[in-house]
Amino acid sequence: MRETAELIERAIEARERAYAPYSGFMVGAALECSDGEVYTGCNIENAAYSPSNCAERTAIFKAVSEGRKDFRRIALVGGKKGEMVAPAPCGMCLQVMAEFCRADEFEVILARSTEEYEVKKLAELLPFRFSL
Ligand code: THU
């Protein structure tokens, strides 16, 4: 497993590619697979608002579309220009994580920097998950 700081660094780099002209809130995600491979994502907004996609889902959909479904953890950073806060994933992204990850094992790293972060289990963030 790579260093947590290294994974957060990948999320910080991904945030640079955020397309967020409407909210100005830029998010980066770095999703680690069981073999250590990392898929990154950023939020991508749209003038019609609803078609916007969060950074977490960008990373997960990139990975799934490349044939991966074995995820260990995801690091997130976000904030407007010049600030960094630790964003909690929205409910839709948590439900997408629940589709592919074991909620009692998968870790969500909410980071403000490579040194300042909190680690939550998906089960803590989404205790009741919809499944069929
Ligand atoms: N956003 C994310 O990408 N991930 C989160 O965890 C929370 C919110 C995005 C959606 C939108 O583009 C912007 O941040 C403001 O809500």
Side-chain angles (χ1 to χ4, degrees):
M1 201 188 316
R2 71 191 58 246
E3 294 293 327
T4 299
E6 199 187 321
L7 195 64
I8 295 169
E9 193 55 55
R10 295 290 301 274
I12 292 169
E13 285 165 20
R15 178 175 170 272
E16 297 295 316
R17 298 186 284 276
Y19 177 75
Y22 304 104
S23 72
F25 193 88
M26 295 164 291
V27 185
L31 175 69
E32 186 183 60
C33 298
S34 56
D35 63 356
E37 193 168 348
V38 174
Y39 289 84
T40 60
C42 60
N43 55 329
I44 304 168
E45 296 185 348
N46 187 278
Y49 291 15
S50 301
S52 301
N53 204 49
C54 291
E56 297 89 323
R57 276 176 291 142
T58 302
I60 294 168
F61 293 158
K62 278 171 68 179
V64 174
S65 68
E66 295 294 328
R68 303 304 300 261
K69 291 189 193 67
D70 51 326
F71 307 131
R72 190 186 276 153
R73 53 192 187 147
I74 191 167
L76 304 174
V77 293
K80 294 200 171 187
K81 202 171 190 299
E83 68 168 21
M84 202 69 114
V85 298
C90 78
M92 209 173 343
C93 288
L94 292 171
Q95 181 66 33
V96 169
M97 290 174 199
E99 184 70 27
F100 299 107
C101 310
R102 280 203 51 169
D104 54 344
E105 289 177 3
F106 185 73
E107 290 179 346
V108 182
I109 302 163
L110 310 172
R112 291 192 62 231
S113 70
T114 53
E115 288 89 39
E116 285 178 273
Y117 58 85
E118 275 187 88
V119 183
K120 303 278 186 197
K121 287 273 163 54
L122 175 56
E124 291 178 75
L125 298 174
L126 192 67
F128 297 97
R129 300 167 291 281
F130 181 75
S131 63
L132 289 174

